[in-house]
Amino acid sequence: MATIPDGKGTLALAAFDANANLTKHEFGRPEPEANDVSIDIKYCGMCHSDLHACNGDWGLNLYPIAPGHEIGGIVQSVGSNVTSYKVGDRVAVGCFVSSCRTCELCDASDENLCNGSLQTYSSMWPEGCGQHKECAGCHTNGGYTSQITVDQHFVYSVPDKISLEHVGPLLCAGITMFSPLNKHVLKKKKEGKTLKVGIAGFGGLGHMGVKLAKAMGADVVVLSRTTSKAEEAAQLGATLVAHGDPDALKAAAYSCDVIVDTISVSHPVDGLMGCLKKKGTYVFIGGIPQPASVSPFMLLFHNWSIEGSLVGGVQETKDMLAFCAEHDIVPDIQVIAAKDANAQFQAMAAGESSADRYVIDMATLADL
């Protein structure tokens, strides 16, 4: 969110170059304006996007940068127009913190797709927007910080059944998986259909996808490289197909109504796509910059659809939180101290991180 680069009062874990070493830093946050909520950040989850934004993978080159868009905290002050929140409320902030609020997409609560949306970190705070003029020309900084100031429209109440350490990852991994499953499973369930969902990749996103799809009443198959995670999938009520095994893929052909591909590195998709039923849909959610090779011929003769999905809008995010509270769905997490965040970044970069979401206890920033 908006940052005063030469300001003081906000502690942060920030990367200063593409080596992505997180270092203690300090900058300023603006005082709340009329529609703003100031939040004392208690926890922030660590997402692969945080690493990509810091290590140059996405070519952002915005330094110093404090990432983090999985924020859980407590309201510490509010602007004069804020009616939805009061001091002491438990709240959360996700992947975006602003949008134009006037376009067709915003009117439909697809603020995440608005051309004027601002991400929680790495978006330039615009000149002439009429808010926080002192922050204009500086990129937004996220939740690896002690506090943040956000427009009330992009702040979420935390349901009583969800803890602050768990809610942050729901605002990223949770809504990322909920949005396509809501579209292709939950809304179709109301038509009386039981669908089969394929989840490609079985990391943190994959685990969340299985939990959500099962709660929506779907049959679920995990598409993983090997059978090594078969027992883990079974514990969540899913079967597993090793997509590295041609015979296993052949046996799974034409079995899924929708496949959600969570894999975050470039990979062939033709074999995975063969698991779709005719008229099925393949959804990419892994942030991969390289093009995927897909045969239009195969799309034509199977009537397959391909789409991408990027988190969800404000209303859908509220719906996701309510759904997770109703069905007791939370991510598997490990809470770590700020001093251990660098080691987790390195594990993520090396592909050695577990499927658990690592969540930083932001109170430990003061110990650095």
Side-chain angles (χ1 to χ4, degrees):
M1 183 51 184
T3 302
I4 305 171
D6 298 324
K8 298 293 182 182
T10 298
L11 297 180
L13 275 177
F16 283 77
D17 55 41
N19 290 320
N21 290 314
L22 296 170
T23 305
K24 188 176 181 180
H25 183 46
E26 186 176 8
F27 52 70
R29 294 288 198 192
E31 290 297 315
E33 294 189 0
N35 295 309
D36 290 337
V37 177
S38 177
I39 301 167
D40 175 15
I41 298 175
K42 297 300 185 182
Y43 299 96
C44 187
M46 301 184 72
C47 173
H48 268 276
S49 297
D50 302 343
L51 176 64
H52 295 314
C54 291
N55 69 3
D57 281 352
W58 289 351
L60 297 177
N61 298 318
L62 297 171
Y63 301 109
I65 186 168
H69 52 212
E70 303 182 0
I71 300 167
I74 302 293
V75 175
Q76 57 186 2
S77 63
V78 299
S80 58
N81 290 343
V82 175
T83 57
S84 301
Y85 304 102
K86 64 182 185 303
V87 173
D89 283 351
R90 300 187 322 138
V91 294
V93 176
C95 298
F96 54 97
V97 291
S98 183
S99 68
C100 80
R101 308 285 293 281
T102 60
C103 70
E104 181 180 7
L105 289 164
C106 288
D107 286 345
S109 197
D110 289 322
E111 297 93 341
N112 55 309
L113 301 178
C114 172
N115 289 333
S117 67
L118 299 180
Q119 295 185 50
T120 306
Y121 61 87
S122 79
S123 290
M124 298 304 295
W125 193 259
E127 303 267 1
C129 70
Q131 295 178 308
H132 306 306
K133 297 178 182 178
E134 69 273 36
C135 302
C138 180
H139 62 268
T140 54
N141 284 278
Y144 289 17
T145 56
S146 57
Q147 59 183 340
I148 195 167
T149 303
V150 182
D151 186 294
Q152 64 176 331
H153 185 71
F154 299 94
V155 176
Y156 303 94
S157 294
V158 180
D160 291 341
K161 294 178 70 174
I162 300 175
S163 71
L164 281 180
E165 53 264 50
H166 283 101
V167 73
L170 289 177
L171 272 291
C172 178
I175 186 59
T176 294
M177 296 305 297
F178 181 84
S179 186
L181 292 171
N182 185 33
K183 176 180 179 181
H184 293 290
V185 180
L186 191 58
K187 291 180 177 178
K188 292 181 179 179
K189 179 184 177 183
K190 297 174 182 177
E191 302 171 5
K193 299 178 180 178
T194 298
L195 303 180
K196 187 164 185 177
V197 174
I199 303 291
F202 200 44
L205 285 171
H207 278 71
M208 183 58 60
V210 172
K211 292 179 180 181
L212 288 166
K214 290 295 295 183
M216 292 176 184
D219 295 330
V220 184
V221 57
V222 171
L223 301 164
S224 190
R225 283 177 296 180
T226 70
T227 58
S228 64
K229 297 181 179 180
E231 183 177 346
E232 199 173 344
Q235 290 173 353
L236 295 180
T239 57
L240 185 143
V241 169
H243 64 75
D245 179 350
D247 291 334
L249 272 185
K250 185 177 179 180
Y254 304 122
S255 61
C256 295
D257 295 279
V258 59
I259 293 174
V260 183
D261 188 335
T262 74
I263 301 169
S264 60
V265 295
S266 182
H267 60 284
V269 299
D270 50 348
L272 291 167
M273 198 168 288
C275 296
L276 281 175
K277 294 178 182 178
K278 294 190 176 184
K279 296 188 176 182
T281 302
Y282 198 94
V283 185
F284 286 103
I285 63 167
I288 306 168
Q290 297 89 354
S293 178
V294 177
S295 166
F297 190 82
M298 296 298 290
L299 301 183
L300 292 173
F301 279 86
H302 295 84
N303 201 3
W304 287 334
S305 299
I306 299 175
E307 57 185 50
S309 185
L310 179 69
V311 293
V314 169
Q315 185 56 55
E316 190 170 44
T317 301
K318 292 178 180 178
D319 294 343
M320 176 275 300
L321 287 171
F323 183 88
C324 288
E326 178 184 356
H327 294 277
D328 296 317
I329 295 173
V330 293
D332 299 320
I333 66 167
Q334 293 188 41
V335 177
I336 63 172
K339 66 179 179 62
D340 299 318
N342 262 323
Q344 178 56 21
F345 250 23
Q346 293 168 10
M348 290 161 67
E352 298 171 352
S353 180
S354 74
D356 290 352
R357 206 64 157 195
Y358 286 75
V359 176
I360 305 170
D361 179 351
M362 299 315 299
T364 62
L365 267 176
D367 300 331
L368 296 179

